[in-house]
Amino acid sequence: MSAGILLNATICFAITISSFAFAWVLARDDSGHNDKSKPALWSLIVLWVLVGLTYLPTTVRMIAASSGNQQLDLLMYYIAAVPFSFVSVPLVFFILYVIIGDQRISGYISALFVLFGAAYLTFFYSSGVIGPTITPLTSLFTINSDIAINIYLIGLFVIPTAMIIGLLFLIFLQRMPKRLRYRTALPLVAISFVFDFMLTDMITLDDTMQLAARIFVLIGTVQAFLAYFPPMNLQEKLGIQKYESNLYEKDDGTDFDDDEEADINV
């Protein structure tokens, strides 16, 4: 097995384990959330499960590529495309629910992204892929459909990314406690980090860039965990010692940047 592909497989496996472990920790913390915050919590759980399900077959794909099994490599690539296509759905639900606080409206709008994902998969599978191209670092496929790529870029990438940026802008415009700002903004930054580099991973034709993208996905996953469960020394450094894992309720603490309470629905 090539050392480069072995490193690639190890990184993919680390992303898988980290994502599943993070989802499990969040699910275990379900009892600590009230009914209002649980929809946002479970949308995040689904998000991290989908990330793990994307990189589990990708791990197998790297192992198959190293052994010269191109059929298994291709099969795993097709399987990984399914969870990858729907990562934006729970992300959109989470952002909308944080902003408007309405589960029904958030569900209806995020369901539109299910249609985008289904359309992407339709063109993706009908057109097929070109490859694999085996390099010392990875196995690369070329998506043989410009329509599929454009659907993903416009419907499943640009819109959710713009929503993340918009929500971050809204957060920094609001007057809110440091703890609330930290536990809302930092997870969004980490999610954006993972989301952006997952796309780079899937569409790049450069093996070095793909490996780098996977490293950054792993970093983003770790960053997301630290955003939700910061170690005590980080809490002390940021002045958020009363940080709680319940991310979506208003904070009644007194460490506001201003005297007025933020009115963002979290």
Side-chain angles (χ1 to χ4, degrees):
M1 177 181 289
S2 166
I5 295 183
L6 176 60
L7 173 62
N8 203 328
T10 302
I11 293 171
C12 291
F13 185 67
I15 296 171
T16 301
I17 296 300
S18 300
S19 301
F20 284 149
F22 190 19
W24 180 78
V25 170
L26 289 174
R28 187 185 61 179
D29 196 47
D30 174 80
S31 60
H33 293 257
N34 60 27
D35 291 340
K36 183 178 179 180
S37 67
K38 283 184 178 180
L41 173 69
W42 280 97
S43 67
L44 289 177
I45 292 171
V46 172
L47 171 66
W48 291 111
V49 168
L50 289 175
V51 173
L53 289 175
T54 299
Y55 282 94
L56 179 58
T58 303
T59 302
V60 178
R61 190 165 80 79
M62 292 298 101
I63 297 173
S66 68
S67 61
N69 190 338
Q70 294 188 0
Q71 289 185 339
L72 181 59
D73 189 358
L74 178 61
L75 176 62
M76 290 298 105
Y77 186 77
Y78 280 141
I79 292 175
V82 177
F84 172 72
S85 301
F86 297 108
V87 166
S88 61
V89 177
L91 174 58
V92 169
F93 179 92
F94 170 75
I95 294 172
L96 290 173
Y97 189 76
V98 167
I99 294 175
I100 65 179
D102 189 306
Q103 183 175 353
R104 179 175 297 180
I105 295 176
S106 301
Y108 287 154
I109 297 177
S110 60
L112 294 176
F113 288 81
V114 175
L115 299 179
F116 280 124
Y120 167 78
L121 287 177
T122 299
F123 287 103
F124 174 81
Y125 287 130
S126 62
S127 300
V129 296
I130 301 172
T133 301
I134 308 298
T135 76
L137 294 178
T138 190
S139 167
L140 296 169
F141 286 94
T142 302
I143 299 175
N144 195 29
S145 172
D146 291 337
I147 297 177
I149 294 175
N150 289 333
I151 288 174
Y152 197 95
L153 286 174
I154 298 173
L156 298 175
F157 175 74
V158 173
I159 296 176
T161 300
M163 293 174 70
I164 292 175
I165 295 173
L167 180 54
L168 286 172
F169 184 70
L170 177 62
I171 289 170
F172 286 108
L173 285 179
Q174 295 291 325
R175 300 166 182 169
M176 62 178 64
K178 291 180 181 178
R179 300 193 301 276
L180 183 57
R181 179 167 291 167
Y182 172 90
R183 68 187 185 219
T184 308
L186 264 285
L188 278 174
V189 172
I191 291 170
S192 178
F193 207 67
V194 171
F195 188 64
D196 293 349
F197 282 105
M198 281 182 71
L199 175 66
T200 303
D201 175 6
M202 293 296 288
I203 67 174
T204 184
L205 299 179
D206 183 89
D207 57 352
T208 304
M209 184 176 292
Q210 185 190 77
L211 182 62
R214 290 175 179 177
I215 292 173
F216 282 117
V217 171
L218 178 59
I219 292 173
T221 305
V222 175
Q223 179 188 353
F225 184 86
L226 293 177
Y228 289 112
F229 307 105
M232 185 56 65
N233 59 347
L234 181 59
Q235 294 185 41
E236 294 173 353
K237 185 176 181 179
L238 296 176
I240 54 170
Q241 290 86 346
K242 294 181 181 181
Y243 178 91
E244 299 175 357
S245 60
N246 196 341
L247 308 178
Y248 317 107
E249 297 179 32
K250 288 185 182 295
D251 197 323
D252 295 327
T254 58
D255 58 337
F256 281 70
D257 295 335
D258 297 281
D259 293 334
E260 298 180 17
E261 183 178 0
D263 56 6
I264 185 172
N265 292 309
V266 293

